[in-house]
Amino acid sequence: MQTTSLNIQKRTELGKGPAGRLRREGRIPATIYGRDIEPISISVDPDVLRKTMEENPYRRNTIFELEVDGKTMQAVLREYQKEPVSLRLTHVDFVTVDADRSMNFEIPIVTVGKSIGVKLGGVLDQTRRTLKVNCAPKDLPESIKIDITDMNVDDKFTVGDLEKKEGVTYLLRDNTPLVFVRSTRAAAGTGEDEEGEEGEETAEGAAASEEKAE
């Protein structure tokens, strides 16, 4: 289980006043929760927290090592609050983890390759960017990769098509679609003359949509 150290400070003063002073000093209030511990009030540097997760391949599922009162524990970021305009973090909650104890995670879904259907003018539609799974932290995958190379127009890829991973349970029905290639008039190759011109416009629109859909 890969862990990353994070500097934290225990909070002794609670309430809006102390929380406001923390934010003015460049830190934010946070809380550690766990099955076998009482909630612990701490503070963290939000910029360091964000940068640490951005640089870690597990991103939001980064497992942090937190030291409080001489005791080290592992935890993941579970909840957070942001300012509505600046979107800066204002409060975060961590939950402790055990390497062998299963819990729920949201894993990013990553598509690999370029599908046959897209090359023919279809549009790739990824209906889900993450997938909820249940596993122990020691079995936690960085991401769920879907190879779309052989997907043709009107093909779809569902949860049931995912490769089974030892220790990992997918928490959606097997028939839940994750990715599919939508057909377009350009993909179908229909239309001549004026209709063909419309097809070209559709193909351009499909390409633009594909860029937006990544």
Side-chain angles (χ1 to χ4, degrees):
M1 182 176 70
Q2 179 181 336
T3 61
T4 301
S5 296
L6 180 68
N7 178 264
I8 63 174
Q9 296 176 7
K10 190 172 181 179
R11 285 189 294 146
T12 56
E13 293 183 298
L14 306 180
K16 291 185 178 180
R21 287 197 296 273
L22 268 179
R23 295 186 182 105
R24 288 192 293 272
E25 294 169 0
R27 300 182 68 83
I28 59 172
T31 307
I32 305 173
Y33 295 96
R35 292 181 59 178
D36 304 318
I37 64 170
E38 292 293 325
I40 303 172
S41 298
I42 60 171
S43 70
V44 299
D45 183 322
D47 294 329
V48 172
L49 175 62
R50 186 186 67 254
K51 183 179 180 180
T52 300
M53 289 192 293
E54 288 175 350
E55 295 177 347
N56 191 292
Y58 288 88
R59 299 300 179 96
R60 175 69 188 275
N61 294 317
T62 298
I63 298 177
F64 295 101
E65 276 198 2
L66 310 177
E67 184 176 339
V68 183
D69 294 335
K71 181 180 179 181
T72 300
M73 60 191 76
Q74 286 76 45
V76 293
L77 180 68
R78 186 54 86 205
E79 302 288 343
Y80 60 87
Q81 297 172 12
K82 290 184 176 181
E83 292 179 351
V85 178
S86 69
L87 299 182
R88 285 185 60 84
L89 290 171
T90 59
H91 188 280
V92 296
D93 289 336
F94 295 93
V95 61
T96 58
V97 301
D98 184 292
D100 299 307
R101 180 180 293 171
S102 295
M103 61 187 298
N104 293 347
F105 293 93
E106 287 278 349
I107 308 298
I109 298 173
V110 179
T111 58
V112 179
K114 187 169 184 177
S115 78
I116 296 172
V118 170
K119 291 178 181 178
L120 292 175
V123 180
L124 183 69
D125 194 343
Q126 185 173 339
T127 58
R128 291 182 178 272
R129 299 291 174 177
T130 63
L131 178 64
K132 182 174 286 188
V133 306
N134 183 270
C135 67
K138 65 181 179 62
D139 298 319
L140 180 66
E142 293 180 15
S143 62
I144 295 172
K145 292 182 173 61
I146 298 177
D147 188 345
I148 62 172
T149 305
D150 295 330
M151 291 183 66
N152 211 326
V153 175
D154 293 331
D155 283 350
K156 66 179 178 179
F157 196 102
T158 68
V159 172
D161 297 319
L162 290 172
E163 177 185 356
K164 305 303 180 185
K165 296 181 180 294
E166 185 175 355
V168 178
T169 301
Y170 304 125
L171 298 181
L172 288 176
R173 294 179 183 273
D174 282 352
N175 62 356
T176 304
L178 302 176
V179 180
F180 67 94
V181 181
R182 288 193 287 110
S183 61
T184 64
R185 294 183 64 184
T190 59
E192 299 178 359
D193 299 327
E194 292 182 0
E195 292 183 4
E197 293 178 1
E198 292 177 1
E200 291 176 2
E201 293 175 0
T202 304
E204 292 174 1
S209 299
E210 182 190 348
E211 291 180 1
K212 292 180 181 179
E214 299 177 355

